[in-house]
Amino acid sequence: AVARVVTELESHLAQIGLSDETAVLQVAVALREALVNAVVHGNLEVSSELHDQGGSAFTDALERRRAASPYRERKARLVARYAPGEVSYVIRDEGPGFDHQKLPDPTALENLERTHGRGLMLIRMFMDEVSFNAAGNEIRLVKRRAPAT
């Protein structure tokens, strides 16, 4: 469902005058990462550190949580607001949240070889503003049309 939602939202970016293919792709990547984070890490509470265990630990945990209460009943919500020259997305999950200030630096040498942990880095690189609510279960993304040169 994430791919369909992102594709639909991409189609509306022309409304704000965002027609540069690279910028549209960047918004799509940021949205995908934020939505996957909301579902996997927020609602299902599956840690990306399970990737470090190798094998199928991560996917096994996903499947178990998708079938168990209260995880399977949780929803992710997305609100998109389009204004002239700007779009904002608010994505909220029903999980316990997290302390975004304690995230490891994905560009630090010890983190560069990890197979996970780059989603928020991509989101921050591709969007003009990124903020979280106090609980850490909501992210707000803003993209502005580049000024004409």
Side-chain angles (χ1 to χ4, degrees):
V2 168
R4 286 191 313 262
V5 169
V6 171
T7 299
E8 177 65 24
L9 294 171
E10 272 184 274
S11 71
H12 298 289
L13 290 174
Q15 291 177 10
I16 67 160
L18 192 64
S19 57
D20 176 289
E21 287 183 39
T22 301
V24 170
L25 177 63
Q26 290 173 341
V27 170
V29 168
L31 280 170
R32 183 195 173 285
E33 292 294 334
L35 286 166
V36 167
N37 284 348
V39 172
V40 172
H41 305 305
N43 286 343
L44 298 178
E45 297 181 48
V46 174
S47 172
S48 58
E49 298 195 1
L50 288 174
H51 285 292
D52 295 337
Q53 294 179 10
S56 62
F58 184 79
T59 55
D60 291 348
L62 279 176
E63 291 309 311
R64 281 192 308 277
R65 291 287 173 95
R66 287 178 61 188
S69 286
Y71 312 103
R72 71 175 177 217
E73 289 89 14
R74 293 178 176 170
K75 306 283 186 229
R77 290 172 175 75
L78 180 143
V79 175
R81 291 189 175 93
Y82 298 89
E86 178 179 292
V87 62
S88 67
Y89 305 99
V90 176
I91 299 166
R92 183 182 188 98
D93 63 66
E94 295 179 349
F98 75 107
D99 186 349
H100 62 69
Q101 295 175 337
K102 291 186 177 179
L103 288 172
D105 178 1
T107 62
L109 197 52
E110 64 272 12
N111 296 326
L112 287 177
E113 293 185 12
R114 292 171 73 181
T115 58
H116 57 85
R118 291 186 183 85
L120 282 173
M121 179 182 71
L122 291 171
I123 292 169
R124 288 181 173 134
M125 283 175 41
F126 294 156
M127 300 303 286
D128 295 318
E129 282 181 37
V130 178
S131 59
F132 297 89
N133 69 350
N137 68 336
E138 180 179 284
I139 187 170
R140 181 174 181 268
L141 313 173
V142 177
K143 184 69 173 181
R144 292 181 190 88
R145 179 182 63 221
T149 55

